[in-house]
C-alpha cells in the first residue's frame, strides 16, 4: 500500500495525502478526516521516509568511526555494535561513516547534507578537527572520548590515566620495580590520540610516585606487532618484570612472545591493563584488568545524543567511566633474583 492508492480511494491528490502525513501544510478538516478514514481502513503504516518527513527528522544517527587506521580493533567494533543496538531500541537507523584522509568527503557529507539528526564521534584526538567542524555546523553530537578542552560538548570516556596509574600501583604493591607501558601505535600517539596520551600521563605519574623505573613503548594494533613489541622489550630491557597496556589487540602476540621466551605468567612476568572483558578472559592466564563496559557506554552515548537532539539548548553532559580492576591471574609477586 502506498500514498497513491490512499489518494485514489480518498479522491484527492498525492500531494494532499503527503500534507496530511507530514503536517507541513494545512488541509481542511473534512479532507483530513476522509484521508484518515482511508488510512485507518487500509491499516496503512507510513514508511521511514514518511515518518521522518512528518517529524522533521531523518530518524538516523551518524556514527563516525576512527580516522587514523584502516581496520577496527575489537574494542572499536564493540563500540560500533553497542551504538547500533542502542539506536535500534529507539527505532533509529545508524549511518556509518569513516573519516580522515581519503574519507573526509564522507564525513563532510554527513555534516552538510543533514542526512542524520546527530552524530556519535569515535576515537577522539586531543585536538580534533571533526569536533570543531560539528560545533560550527550546529549538528548535535556526542563523542566517545574527549578533546584536551572538552568544555561545551557532551562526551563519555574511560579514565585511562587513572586506570593505568592503578595498574602500576598494583604492580608496585607486588614488588615490581621495573615496569613498562605498552601503548597504542606511534602513529596514533603522534596524531594526538587521547587514550594514548592520558595512559602515558597516568603511567608517568604512578611510576614517579612509587619510585619505579618506567619504560614506554608503542605497539601496533595486531598480534604480530604485539609479539614483535614484546620480543624487543625483553631484549632491550631484561630488567622489566611487568607491563601495563591499553592495547588489547596486541595481547595475543605479547602472550606468544612471553611463551616462546620461556617465561611463565605471572611467575616470571606480570601483565595487566585496560581491555574489553572477553579479551581479558581469553588471555592465558586470565588478565588482571579494568574491563571496559562497551555496551553501557554505547547506550549512554546514544542517550546523551537523543537528549541533545530533543533539547539543543540544554547544557552538555558527560561521564567518565572508572571500572574497577578485576584481579585475575596474570599478575603476581616479582620473582626473587
Amino acid at each position: 500500500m502506498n500514498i497513491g492508492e490512499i489518494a485514489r480511494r480518498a479522491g484527492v491528490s498525492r500531494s494532499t495525502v503527503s500534507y496530511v502525513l507530514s503536517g507541513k501544510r494545512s488541509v481542511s478538516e473534512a479532507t483530513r478526516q476522509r484521508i484518515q478514514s482511508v488510512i485507518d481502513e487500509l491499516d496503512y503504516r507510513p514508511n521511514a521516509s514518511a515518518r521522518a518527513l512528518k517529524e522533521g527528522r531523518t530518524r538516523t544517527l551518524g556514527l563516525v568511526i576512527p580516522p587514523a587506521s584502516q581496520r577496527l580493533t575489537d574494542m572499536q567494533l564493540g563500540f560500533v555494535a553497542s551504538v547500533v543496538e542502542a539506536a535500534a531500541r529507539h527505532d533509529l537507523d545508524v549511518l556509518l561513516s569513516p573519516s580522515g584522509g581519503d574519507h573526509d568527503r564522507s564525513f563532510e557529507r554527513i555534516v552538510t547534507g543533514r542526512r542524520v539528526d546527530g552524530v556519535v564521534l569515535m576515537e577522539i584526538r586531543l585536538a580534533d578537527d571533526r569536533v570543531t567542524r560539528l560545533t560550527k555546523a550546529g549538528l548535535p553530537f556526542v563523542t566517545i572520548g574527549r578533546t584536551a578542552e572538552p568544555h561545551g560538548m557532551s562526551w563519555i570516556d574511560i579514565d585511562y590515566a587513572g586506570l593505568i596509574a592503578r595498574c602500576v600501583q598494583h604492580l608496585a604493591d607486588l614488588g615490581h620495580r621495573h615496569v613498562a607501558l605498552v601503548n597504542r601505535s606511534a602513529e596514533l600517539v603522534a596524531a594526538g590520540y587521547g587514550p594514548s596520551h592520558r595512559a602515558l600521563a597516568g603511567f608517568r605519574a604512578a611510576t614517579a610516585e612509587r619510585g619505579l623505573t618506567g619504560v614506554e613503548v608503542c605497539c601496533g594494533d595486531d598480534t604480530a606487532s604485539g609479539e614483535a613489541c614484546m620480543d624487543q622489550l625483553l631484549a632491550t630491557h631484561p630488567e622489566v618484570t611487568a607491563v601495563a597496556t591499553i592495547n588489547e589487540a596486541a595481547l595475543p602476540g605479547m602472550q606468544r612472545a612471553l611463551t616462546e621466551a620461556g617465561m611463565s605468567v605471572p611467575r616470571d612476568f606480570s601483565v595487566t591493563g585496560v581491555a574489553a572483558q572477553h579479551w581479558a578472559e581469553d588471555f592465558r592466564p586470565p588478565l588482571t584488568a579494568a574491563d571496559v563496559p562497551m555496551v553501557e557506554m554505547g547506550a549512554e552515548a546514544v542517550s546523551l545524543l537523543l537528549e541533545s537532539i530533543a533539547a539543543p539548548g540544554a547544557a552538555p553532559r558527560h561521564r567518565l567511566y572508572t571500572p574497577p580492576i578485576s584481579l585475575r591471574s596474570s599478575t603476581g609477586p616479582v620473582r626473587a633474583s
Side-chain angles (χ1 to χ4, degrees):
M1 188 58 57
N2 55 40
I3 289 178
E5 180 62 16
I6 294 171
R8 187 186 68 78
R9 295 197 183 199
V12 299
S13 67
R14 291 172 60 95
S15 60
T16 302
V17 175
S18 294
Y19 297 152
V20 169
L21 290 172
S22 67
K24 290 294 182 67
R25 290 192 185 180
S26 60
V27 175
S28 71
E29 184 60 21
T31 301
R32 191 195 68 76
Q33 289 184 0
R34 187 161 74 251
I35 293 172
Q36 188 61 53
S37 294
V38 173
I39 290 173
D40 293 342
E41 177 186 348
L42 298 176
D43 194 26
Y44 174 74
R45 295 290 183 270
N47 62 25
S49 297
R51 288 172 60 197
L53 183 64
K54 182 175 181 179
E55 297 171 1
R57 294 180 180 169
T58 66
R59 297 195 64 80
T60 301
L61 305 180
L63 176 58
V64 181
I65 58 177
S69 66
Q70 306 246 331
R71 58 186 294 277
L72 297 182
T73 67
D74 193 74
M75 186 182 294
Q76 291 163 348
L77 288 172
F79 280 125
V80 171
S82 66
V83 168
V84 170
E85 290 172 5
R89 289 195 291 271
H90 294 277
D91 197 24
L92 300 172
D93 296 324
V94 175
L95 177 61
L96 200 65
S97 174
S99 67
D102 294 337
H103 300 298
D104 280 341
R105 289 191 301 273
S106 175
F107 174 67
E108 192 61 25
R109 284 194 296 271
I110 287 280
V111 178
T112 60
R114 293 291 172 173
R115 302 164 69 186
V116 298
D117 298 322
V119 169
V120 175
L121 193 62
M122 290 176 55
E123 300 292 279
I124 305 301
R125 300 174 180 180
L126 296 177
D128 201 309
D129 292 340
R130 300 169 303 163
V131 170
T132 304
R133 182 70 182 93
L134 287 168
T135 301
K136 288 182 178 178
L139 186 62
F141 69 95
V142 171
T143 62
I144 299 178
R146 67 197 193 278
T147 60
E149 298 292 337
H151 312 297
M153 56 185 277
S154 292
W155 53 268
I156 61 171
D157 202 0
I158 301 165
D159 183 12
Y160 282 101
L163 293 176
I164 286 297
R166 282 161 56 189
C167 288
V168 172
Q169 297 281 4
H170 171 62
L171 295 173
D173 290 342
L174 292 170
H176 295 275
R177 309 302 300 167
H178 302 273
V179 299
L181 172 68
V182 177
N183 210 325
R184 299 285 294 278
S185 71
E187 292 77 13
L188 280 174
V189 173
Y193 179 59
S196 292
H197 284 261
R198 293 188 173 100
L200 185 57
F203 180 76
R204 289 175 175 174
T207 52
E209 179 183 345
R210 297 299 294 266
L212 309 183
T213 300
V215 176
E216 303 156 5
V217 295
C218 291
C219 181
D221 297 334
D222 57 80
T223 297
S225 295
E227 184 173 7
C229 173
M230 183 59 73
D231 282 341
Q232 183 176 17
L233 180 64
L234 295 175
T236 57
H237 295 279
E239 73 280 4
V240 169
T241 57
V243 300
T245 185
I246 62 168
N247 194 331
E248 63 175 22
L251 281 169
M254 294 165 60
Q255 182 179 45
R256 182 186 302 168
L258 289 167
T259 299
E260 292 183 354
M263 304 185 77
S264 173
V265 176
R267 185 191 66 192
D268 303 310
F269 202 92
S270 288
V271 184
T272 184
V274 182
Q277 182 175 348
H278 74 274
W279 276 101
E281 293 177 343
D282 286 345
F283 195 78
R284 288 294 175 267
L287 187 72
T288 292
D291 301 334
V292 177
M294 294 181 296
V295 173
E296 184 181 349
M297 292 178 69
E300 183 151 13
V302 170
S303 178
L304 289 180
L305 181 56
L306 294 181
E307 289 180 15
S308 181
I309 292 169
R317 297 203 297 124
H318 64 267
R319 180 174 175 185
L320 187 63
Y321 283 78
T322 55
I325 305 292
S326 296
L327 297 176
R328 297 188 176 95
S329 308
S330 66
T331 52
V334 66
R335 188 177 183 183
S337 300

